Amino acid sequence: MLETLTILLPVFLVMGIGFGLTQLGLVTREVQRGLVGIAYWVGLPCLLFVKISLADLSVGHLEGVYVAVFAAMVACYMVARLAGGVGRLPPSSMGAFVHASFRGNLAFVALPVVEFSLFAAVERSSNPEATRAAAEIASVAMYLALAYMVIWYNILGVLTLLVHQKNGNAPTIMSIVRKWLTNPLIIACVAGWLCNRFAVPLPVFVERTCTVMGQAALAMALMGIGAQLALTKIRTRVSWAVGAAIIKVVVAPLVAGVVGYLLGLDSLQLLVALVMSASPTAVASYVLTDQMGGDPDLAANSVAVSTVLAFASFSVILLVVS
């Protein structure tokens, strides 16, 4: 239990700092947007680019984590659509509900939890060298899965919200394609893969700059999420927000766990798949829902509720798998 808290508390305490500073009036809505914006547009792309560029893709058997997380996303999408249909949600709320149910915050929340978990696994191992090698493979599998899922989240997110839009808010096909092509995370993943695939040497100063920006991005993003929680007033559609959160942090890891077990993932890769699947609803789901005329209150509430529930979900996963 102590190790679990050691892994999770740094992540959620940084969120708590952002929450507290916002409550004190030191972080405004504009500052919160700036923190998340810098992390999204600069810091995280730098981190993804350098990690994928330098990853050893020759080790093999890296696709299992991605398959498990992808299966969890599809399952959440189907469960959410069924639940929303049975509950007769209006179109704009239906899109927000489904989107919040499957889009996880892999980069800003799952990534640091996974990294801390892998470090802890090496520290407590009786054979640290072998565990370190397995942890490095699991880390590479995580970044590859993250790269693929960023693309799927953006494609499925836009399509989901588009299907459930009011007639007057529908964007053009070109505007959707432009969003995908200019997404900084997708660009970073593709650029990193190309550098890796064609063995493009990465200058040391570029590697170090990207690493520093990536490390800074995690802190800014977590504080931004905490600030978002402080600025979110949960008033409407609370039951649906709770439903989306339960689908995201409970149903998703259950599906990922079953798929990962059937695929024969080792304990560390299974841990990665479970943590990624149990990550709370991404703040990006609220931003995209608001931009596309969905139900922003339901989207924001889902982010807040799922972030709180994710602590319990992560704790169970770490206690069971570690």
Side-chain angles (χ1 to χ4, degrees):
M1 186 62 186
L2 180 60
E3 182 180 280
T4 298
L5 292 176
T6 302
I7 292 170
L8 294 180
L9 281 181
V11 175
F12 284 86
L13 283 176
V14 175
M15 289 188 203
I17 291 171
F19 185 95
L21 292 176
T22 304
Q23 294 284 50
L24 292 172
L26 298 176
V27 174
T28 63
R29 172 69 72 178
E30 290 70 26
V31 173
Q32 185 269 337
R33 288 174 176 169
L35 287 170
V36 175
I38 293 172
Y40 178 77
W41 286 98
V42 182
L44 185 58
C46 285
L47 181 63
L48 291 175
F49 171 72
V50 73
K51 289 289 186 179
I52 295 173
S53 296
L54 302 177
D56 182 4
L57 303 182
S58 64
V59 293
H61 305 294
L62 297 172
E63 68 282 350
V65 171
Y66 160 64
V67 173
V69 177
F70 178 82
M73 179 194 74
V74 173
C76 289
Y77 176 86
M78 295 172 64
V79 171
R81 281 194 61 85
L82 177 62
V86 172
R88 298 183 181 278
L89 273 174
S92 62
S93 297
M94 180 70 163
F97 174 72
V98 174
H99 192 203
S101 298
F102 73 76
R103 185 167 190 162
N105 202 331
L106 303 184
F108 295 159
V109 179
L111 193 154
V113 173
V114 167
E115 293 287 10
F116 291 154
S117 300
L118 295 178
F119 178 79
V122 175
E123 287 291 298
R124 69 169 181 273
S125 175
S126 58
N127 187 354
E129 290 303 319
T131 305
R132 184 175 292 106
E136 290 176 357
I137 294 174
S139 180
V140 173
M142 174 191 65
Y143 279 101
L144 287 180
L146 196 157
Y148 289 128
M149 293 308 299
V150 162
I151 296 172
W152 279 115
Y153 280 160
N154 279 278
I155 292 174
L156 190 57
V158 170
L159 292 178
T160 298
L161 292 167
L162 183 61
V163 167
H164 297 289
Q165 266 190 333
K166 298 175 182 178
N167 294 332
N169 295 319
T172 64
I173 297 297
M174 284 306 299
S175 67
I176 294 173
V177 173
R178 192 178 301 113
K179 280 182 177 293
W180 289 336
L181 294 179
T182 57
N183 183 291
L185 305 185
I186 294 177
I187 293 172
C189 291
V190 172
W193 182 85
L194 289 174
C195 287
N196 191 303
R197 174 66 178 80
F198 295 102
V200 177
L202 207 60
V204 175
F205 74 90
V206 173
E207 177 187 344
R208 291 177 177 173
T209 300
C210 289
T211 300
V212 170
M213 288 303 302
Q215 291 171 342
L218 294 179
M220 287 188 289
L222 290 173
M223 289 183 63
I225 293 170
Q228 177 69 48
L229 296 180
L231 294 168
T232 299
K233 307 302 180 185
I234 302 178
R235 295 169 181 163
T236 60
R237 300 198 184 281
V238 176
S239 61
W240 286 104
V242 172
I246 290 174
I247 293 172
K248 184 66 203 67
V249 305
V250 177
V251 174
L254 287 175
V255 174
V258 172
V259 174
Y261 175 79
L262 293 175
L263 292 173
L265 297 183
D266 64 36
S267 60
L268 292 183
Q269 292 193 37
L270 182 61
L271 176 64
V272 170
L274 288 171
V275 170
M276 292 181 75
S277 298
S279 61
T281 301
V283 175
S285 69
Y286 161 73
V287 176
L288 187 59
T289 298
D290 189 39
Q291 290 176 345
M292 296 188 65
D295 185 338
D297 291 334
L298 176 55
N301 293 346
S302 299
V303 172
V305 175
S306 65
T307 301
V308 174
L309 294 183
F311 186 90
S313 186
F314 286 151
S315 297
V316 172
I317 290 169
L318 293 173
L319 287 171
V320 172
V321 181
S322 298

